[in-house]
Amino acid sequence: MALRVNWGLAAPLALVLLTACVPAQRRPSWAIYPLPRAQPHDGLAVVSQPDGYGLHLWLETDTSQAGVCRPRWLADPARLFNGNGSAPFSSGLATRAEFFQAVARKDVRRALRQELQALCAARAPKARWQWSEPPRNPREIRVQTFPLVEEQDLLPPPSEVRRREEELLNGAQAQ
């Protein structure tokens, strides 16, 4: 019994099967999951490149307006390593272009919103949550201004501290 092959169907089927066999390490996975820095909900891992590379977005809150807690956007993310492994970590900086590419995705913004809302609930439980969209291009980045450090907030020079310590010790010994 001879087997007849329909080459009109076999060739496209073989092509589909061969292209479906692309190794996983060459396909970006876009895994998104919480990766805390110092407390729960203050970091988000975004695996955007093969081999587990991506971004570690550091999440911060803005409570400068009384009774309101909203995101404070930090557009300079850390570089994520081993994002698909059992011990992901971050080191150094990723590019802002990667940040903009990540926040352009709905799934990333959804995860950011969830984590930031939980972070606000932990840091300012009585404040009203207010979502603001992340910056999508360099023109939308707002430079954060913080109060200036005043002279009284600074530590005195070490020689002055040592002189005061010696005065205190000598005064205590003299009594």
Side-chain angles (χ1 to χ4, degrees):
M1 179 159 145
L3 180 65
R4 293 182 54 137
V5 176
N6 183 343
W7 290 107
L9 293 176
L13 180 61
L15 184 62
V16 167
L17 289 174
L18 287 174
T19 57
C21 295
V22 175
Q25 63 264 28
R26 282 200 254 152
R27 282 184 265 136
S29 61
W30 283 97
I32 303 164
Y33 55 89
L35 184 59
R37 295 179 302 134
Q39 71 179 96
H41 312 293
D42 70 351
L44 188 72
V46 179
V47 182
S48 59
Q49 299 175 23
D51 299 327
Y53 290 103
L55 309 173
H56 188 186
L57 302 175
W58 291 12
L59 307 182
E60 281 298 329
T61 57
D62 179 2
T63 55
S64 59
Q65 184 179 348
V68 177
C69 185
R70 61 179 166 244
R72 180 180 307 235
W73 294 111
L74 306 174
D76 296 310
R79 167 65 60 216
L80 177 69
F81 295 94
N82 196 29
N84 293 331
S86 60
F89 65 97
S90 60
S91 177
L93 286 177
T95 66
R96 282 190 175 176
E98 290 175 271
F99 173 82
F100 297 134
Q101 180 185 14
V103 298
R105 295 176 55 100
K106 285 184 183 180
D107 52 351
V108 172
R109 287 194 313 275
R110 186 179 320 112
L112 284 168
R113 186 176 190 144
Q114 290 172 347
E115 290 302 304
L116 282 160
Q117 187 170 6
L119 185 60
C120 268
R123 289 185 175 173
K126 294 183 180 182
R128 178 177 52 87
W129 162 246
Q130 182 181 54
W131 172 249
S132 63
E133 288 290 324
R136 303 269 187 101
N137 60 57
R139 294 181 310 277
E140 294 178 4
I141 294 176
R142 283 183 257 139
V143 176
Q144 298 291 325
T145 56
F146 298 99
L148 294 174
V149 176
E150 301 293 331
E151 187 173 346
Q152 66 268 14
D153 298 325
L154 300 175
L155 294 174
S159 58
E160 177 66 22
V161 172
R162 185 69 174 159
R163 186 187 63 73
R164 289 180 190 172
E165 287 175 346
E166 288 176 3
E167 284 179 4
L168 287 171
L169 289 173
N170 291 337
Q173 291 173 355
Q175 291 179 359

